[in-house]
């Protein structure tokens, strides 16, 4: 065996040992992905924030966002209309029974549906709409 073969064997040996050591040092990451934070509630960005969260399929964060939102403050900011929720029909929880959904006046919460996509989101949306609409009834523009 030549000196060059010995050098090649040592180089191969070192590469194999390095690969084994590197493979042994890495541990699988079994931790859950970090929860994405929800934006702070602000009346001026409320609809944009909700739409973005639902568009990104972040239903849990959207439900948490609604829980952090102030329905009275939002209703005062919006000045007119109701918040609608899609169920078997588009409904206005908390609004008078004779109130009908008007697409020009009201805002349907995205991600609500008769085929419920996320139970917690649907429940949070209904609860928020009910609180919002109970306040919105008092506005002269409704």
């Amino acid at each position: 065996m030549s000196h060059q073969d010995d050098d090649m064997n040592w180089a191969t040996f070192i590469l194999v040992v390095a690969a084994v050591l590197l493979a042994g040092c890495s541990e699988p990451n079994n931790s859950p992905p970090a929860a994405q934070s929800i934006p702070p509630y602000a009346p001026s960005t409320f609809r944009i924030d909700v739409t973005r969260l639902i568009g990104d399929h972040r239903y849990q964060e959207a439900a948490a966002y609604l829980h952090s939102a102030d329905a009275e403050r939002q209703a005062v900011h919006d000045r007119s209309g109701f918040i609608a929720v899609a169920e078997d029909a588009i409904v206005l929880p908390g609004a008078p029974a004779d109130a009908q959904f008007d697409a020009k006046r009201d805002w349907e919460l995205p991600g609500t549906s008769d085929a419920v996509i996320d139970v917690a989101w649907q429940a949070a949306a209904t609860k928020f709409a009910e609180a919002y609409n109970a306040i919105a009834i008092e506005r002269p523009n409704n």
Side-chain angles (χ1 to χ4, degrees):
M1 191 187 291
S2 73
H3 181 51
Q4 192 174 19
D5 288 339
D6 284 341
D7 288 344
M8 185 65 103
N9 286 339
W10 275 107
T12 302
F13 174 75
I14 291 172
L15 285 174
V16 168
V17 169
V20 169
L21 288 174
L22 287 174
C25 289
S26 68
E27 296 179 18
N29 182 3
N30 293 329
S31 61
Q36 296 178 337
S37 63
I38 60 172
Y41 167 70
S44 60
T45 60
F46 173 77
R47 292 181 186 202
I48 294 166
D49 293 336
V50 169
T51 301
R52 184 177 301 123
L53 290 167
I54 295 303
D56 291 344
H57 306 286
R58 295 171 54 198
Y59 299 102
Q60 289 181 343
E61 288 96 338
Y65 182 77
L66 284 189
H67 291 301
S68 75
D70 183 333
E72 182 174 1
R73 191 170 156 203
Q74 191 63 45
V76 168
H77 175 269
D78 291 346
R79 295 193 298 260
S80 68
F82 293 109
I83 290 185
V85 175
E87 294 176 353
D88 290 336
I90 297 176
V91 297
L92 304 170
D98 62 342
Q100 297 293 314
F101 174 72
D102 179 348
K104 292 179 183 174
R105 178 194 67 195
D106 306 324
W107 184 55
E108 181 184 342
L109 278 166
T112 60
S113 173
D114 60 338
V116 175
I117 299 167
D118 186 276
V119 173
W121 165 245
Q122 188 83 15
T126 302
K127 183 178 178 181
F128 185 84
E130 185 174 358
Y132 177 100
N133 293 340
I135 295 156
I137 294 169
E138 304 302 321
R139 293 187 306 221
N141 298 344
N142 284 343

